[in-house]
Amino acid sequence: MTLDPSRLERITPWAASYVDQRKFAGLSVLIHQHGEETFFDSHGVRDIETGAPFARDTIARIYSMTKPITSLILMMLVEEGKVHLDAPVSRFLPGFASCRALVPGATTIDQSEPRATPTLHQLLTHRSGLSYPFNPGVLPQAMADQDLLFKSNAGTLAEQCEALADLPLAFAPGGRWEYSVGIDVIGRVIEVMAGQPLDQVFAERVLNPLGMTDTAFSVPQQATNRLAALYTPLAGDAMDLNAADTGGNPLRLVDAPTTSPFLAATCFSGGGGLVGTIDDYMRFAEALRMGGQGLVSPSTLKFMLSNHLPGDIASLGPASFAEQPMDGMGFGIGGAVVLDPARSRVPGSAGDFSWGGMASTFFWIDRVHEISVVLFTQLSPSSSYPARAELKALVHGALM
């Protein structure tokens, strides 16, 4: 099936409505099918204060859409025979050698017991026992108290991993699925293996080969005037996925382009540290869709985009995460995999691979219909509006 241009035009009023209703300050959508651009549209502004348009060359924080890139680099090292996925993380980061996990029902961080060290595979698939500060629970609270969110200005990646290793796991590795900083830890593993800072590894392994010249952990010097502002509808913490405390201003500024920590990052967060343009990210998405594009073999890429869980995510604990459905959804190496579109309640194809970022960005690849889609905007948290599900429905509604 081919995307019908007239039906794709339905995306334009949908996108405009998000700006008109002050849900997003600005957004852009880019779609490729069969390796060719079939749709692009942008609306609104990247900075309310200056009125600069949310243009095609706007630099955006992609946050967790960094994870698939980090995961791909690890798979390159696996493919080269330098590491295997069942290796314990302590082989590279000794601080994790004597792991403990919270006892079931723990109410304080000191209620823990010895447990096995997570493997690289468990870190990649969010079954390691690690967590995020914005999740509910004892470990997330302890992480929040220490500000362990691997922010761009939070010291170094090594320092963040060392502090994390001092805390117990939320559960025994393999026990359930919980979204976590596991892929940040994978980023540090890559640094140790490569003997280089993660920003250099990214540039050499993926960004330069794919021509992603506007993507990096710090806004490129030539692009500082193109960085978008970050907004939130929340009255409190813009990174709190579970908050219901909305403010009077649906577009409250939380990270200005002129003072953003992304202008000069010190912590290269493999789980959420990249900024870049929509065209750059499309280059990466298309590399995945087309079988690795020389970065890895098609066989390795197929392995990466397969479901690595024993069932769907919902069967391993969580009912939902932000906008991400869990029923009928598996998880591969660094991203979600559609197992059953009907059970996920979002139109799509079995095998769709996707992930999004905290600032409401999103991408997916559909290898059945040879489609890649990237959505860029800058509103945190991503749970604010159902834009991702709506966009998938709009794109599938254009297949004729």
Side-chain angles (χ1 to χ4, degrees), residues 131-388:
S131 192
Y132 260 121
F134 47 69
N135 289 331
V138 174
L139 175 61
Q141 184 58 57
M143 293 178 69
D145 292 344
Q146 296 186 35
D147 200 22
L148 284 176
L149 191 52
F150 291 77
K151 297 176 183 176
S152 291
N153 58 350
T156 66
L157 180 56
E159 290 167 349
Q160 290 277 287
C161 286
E162 287 166 7
L164 183 68
D166 288 338
L167 294 173
L169 303 171
F171 53 87
R176 63 176 190 263
W177 193 96
E178 183 164 320
Y179 195 45
S180 76
V181 297
I183 297 178
D184 283 290
V185 177
I186 289 291
R188 178 58 185 155
V189 168
I190 291 170
E191 284 191 333
V192 171
M193 292 184 64
Q196 293 177 288
L198 196 62
D199 62 338
Q200 293 181 23
V201 181
F202 265 58
E204 293 174 9
R205 289 272 186 170
V206 174
L207 305 181
N208 292 344
L210 293 183
M212 298 171 67
T213 56
D214 280 331
T215 300
F217 287 102
S218 296
V219 179
Q221 281 288 334
Q222 77 277 11
T224 53
N225 64 333
R226 293 189 271 128
L227 177 63
L230 178 66
Y231 299 95
T232 185
L234 300 182
D237 185 359
M239 298 296 166
D240 188 349
L241 283 168
N242 303 300
D245 184 15
T246 54
N249 182 0
L251 292 171
R252 179 172 67 86
L253 178 66
V254 289
D255 186 14
T258 54
T259 57
S260 175
F262 287 97
L263 295 174
T266 59
C267 179
F268 306 133
S269 165
L274 287 179
V275 295
T277 61
I278 195 167
D279 279 289
D280 271 10
Y281 205 87
M282 178 58 81
R283 291 183 180 93
F284 174 71
E286 282 283 82
L288 294 185
R289 186 189 64 78
M290 294 190 290
Q293 213 157 305
L295 300 177
V296 293
S297 76
S299 177
T300 297
L301 204 284
K302 181 180 178 181
F303 172 83
M304 179 178 172
L305 304 186
S306 300
N307 181 31
H308 285 244
L309 306 180
D312 63 6
I313 301 174
S315 69
L316 294 172
S320 65
F321 171 78
E323 285 188 75
Q324 175 66 41
M326 299 303 186
D327 291 313
M329 297 293 295
F331 203 83
I333 301 297
V337 181
V338 174
L339 303 179
D340 184 340
R343 290 189 60 230
S344 75
R345 300 176 300 283
V346 178
S349 300
D352 281 3
F353 184 84
S354 67
W355 205 242
M358 179 65 90
S360 303
T361 57
F362 185 56
F363 91 102
W364 82 89
I365 59 171
D366 178 339
R367 290 171 293 163
V368 173
H369 299 107
E370 299 183 42
I371 295 170
S372 296
V373 182
V374 184
L375 164 67
F376 265 27
T377 186
Q378 293 286 268
L379 187 91
S380 184
S382 58
S383 53
S384 301
Y385 306 110
R388 298 169 180 177

Side-chain angles (χ1 to χ4, degrees), residues 1 25 54 67 77 113 118 174 225 244 256 332 370:
M1 290 191 282
F54 203 100
K67 288 179 171 67
L77 298 173
E113 58 189 359
N225 64 333
E370 299 183 42

